[in-house]
Amino acid sequence: DTGVSQNPRHKITKRGQNVTFRCDPISEHNRLYWYRQTLGQGPEFLTYFQNEAQLEKSRLLSDRFSAERPKGSFSTLEIQRTEQGDSAMYLCASSQLTGSPLHFGNGTRLTVT
Amino acid sequence: AQSVTQPDIHITVSEGASLELRCNYSYGATPYLFWYVQSPGQGLQLLLKYFSGDTLVQGIKGFEAEFKRSQSSFNLRKPSVHWSDAAEYFCAVGNQAGTALIFGKGTTLSVSS
């Protein structure tokens, strides 16, 4: 169990640029979740996958955001035309069974200048 | 609406003193309840979980929590706090179906010597 891995750890980008983050879940976990966390707040749900199927998307996930999990293993989260309000920590988590605890990665911190 | 409330934004406790962090939830279904801890710049680590059965659950690092259905609460306790416990603590609620967890806004714990 190597844990959930997220890359990059930090990303600084200029407003209007596109960014992509990667998450590698724990290998036997079939559920993968994306959350966003801003300073002083708890994690806010964005979307989750069961295997390669995206089962739920939050209304926080505007049309500039897209997530994929093409082979049911790693996942990517892309933000197009970034805005300063997108600056946050983006957390990925995975779980093995429905209802089981989520295991979180260390996150990708995005700063939009 | 489904929600988690952590009434205390920031708590300071003396090292060696006892600790209780409050959590109240509003959830339509039978809740699965979790406490996570987050150190600065890190992801979230699971402290303990409640699914069913004994309402007093034990977790890692000497933490415990008690589920009180009548009060819709799931408070976290520790009999003797250590300086290394200083961190941010999040309560979360989920369900058996494994849809996304809903997190509270967190309580920051400071430990004074």
Side-chain angles (χ1 to χ4, degrees):
Chain A
D1 180 355
T2 56
V4 177
S5 176
Q6 291 189 246
N7 287 289
R9 288 297 310 274
H10 304 275
K11 179 71 176 179
I12 300 174
T13 192
K14 292 183 186 297
R15 187 176 54 190
Q17 296 295 304
N18 299 343
V19 294
T20 300
F21 310 141
R22 177 178 170 125
C23 172
D24 288 272
I26 295 171
S27 58
E28 64 269 25
H29 286 186
N30 58 11
R31 289 211 165 190
L32 186 148
Y33 302 78
W34 285 99
Y35 282 81
R36 181 174 68 185
Q37 185 179 24
T38 53
L39 198 61
Q41 300 295 317
E44 297 173 298
F45 169 71
L46 293 177
T47 188
Y48 86 92
F49 294 83
Q50 178 159 310
N51 300 315
E52 65 275 10
Q54 189 172 18
L55 295 188
E56 186 177 349
K57 291 195 290 187
S58 163
R59 56 187 169 82
L60 290 176
L61 208 69
S62 76
D63 56 6
R64 296 185 298 106
F65 287 69
S66 62
E68 294 182 342
R69 194 182 183 197
K71 297 183 180 179
S73 56
F74 73 92
S75 175
T76 57
L77 177 67
E78 181 183 16
I79 308 174
Q80 296 182 327
R81 305 181 302 281
T82 52
E83 301 173 356
Q84 287 188 320
D86 297 331
S87 296
M89 175 79 87
Y90 290 84
L91 294 165
C92 176
S94 67
S95 69
Q96 186 171 20
L97 299 171
T98 57
S100 60
L102 272 59
H103 297 258
F104 282 86
N106 285 331
T108 294
R109 180 166 295 285
L110 173 66
T111 302
V112 182
T113 61
Chain B
Q2 301 168 353
S3 65
V4 176
T5 301
Q6 295 181 244
D8 304 303
I9 297 173
H10 190 187
I11 284 182
T12 299
V13 174
S14 298
E15 190 169 16
S18 64
L19 169 70
E20 182 169 27
L21 301 182
R22 296 182 290 163
C23 172
N24 294 96
Y25 67 89
S26 173
Y27 203 71
T30 300
Y32 283 14
L33 293 158
F34 306 84
W35 275 99
Y36 284 85
V37 61
Q38 185 179 34
S39 298
Q42 301 296 312
L44 283 76
Q45 180 184 21
L46 178 70
L47 285 176
L48 48 78
K49 61 185 184 292
Y50 172 78
F51 288 173
S52 64
D54 192 347
T55 56
L56 184 64
V57 294
Q58 303 296 319
I60 63 171
K61 304 184 181 186
F63 286 92
E64 67 178 26
E66 186 172 13
F67 171 58
K68 293 186 177 180
R69 185 183 298 275
S70 62
Q71 298 178 19
S72 297
S73 70
F74 188 57
N75 294 348
L76 182 71
R77 300 194 293 249
K78 186 170 185 178
S80 177
V81 168
H82 187 261
W83 64 267
S84 60
D85 293 324
E88 190 146 20
Y89 291 80
F90 293 96
C91 181
V93 64
N95 59 35
Q96 186 178 17
T99 54
L101 297 185
I102 299 169
F103 285 84
K105 293 187 176 183
T107 297
T108 301
L109 173 65
S110 298
V111 180
S112 62
S113 56

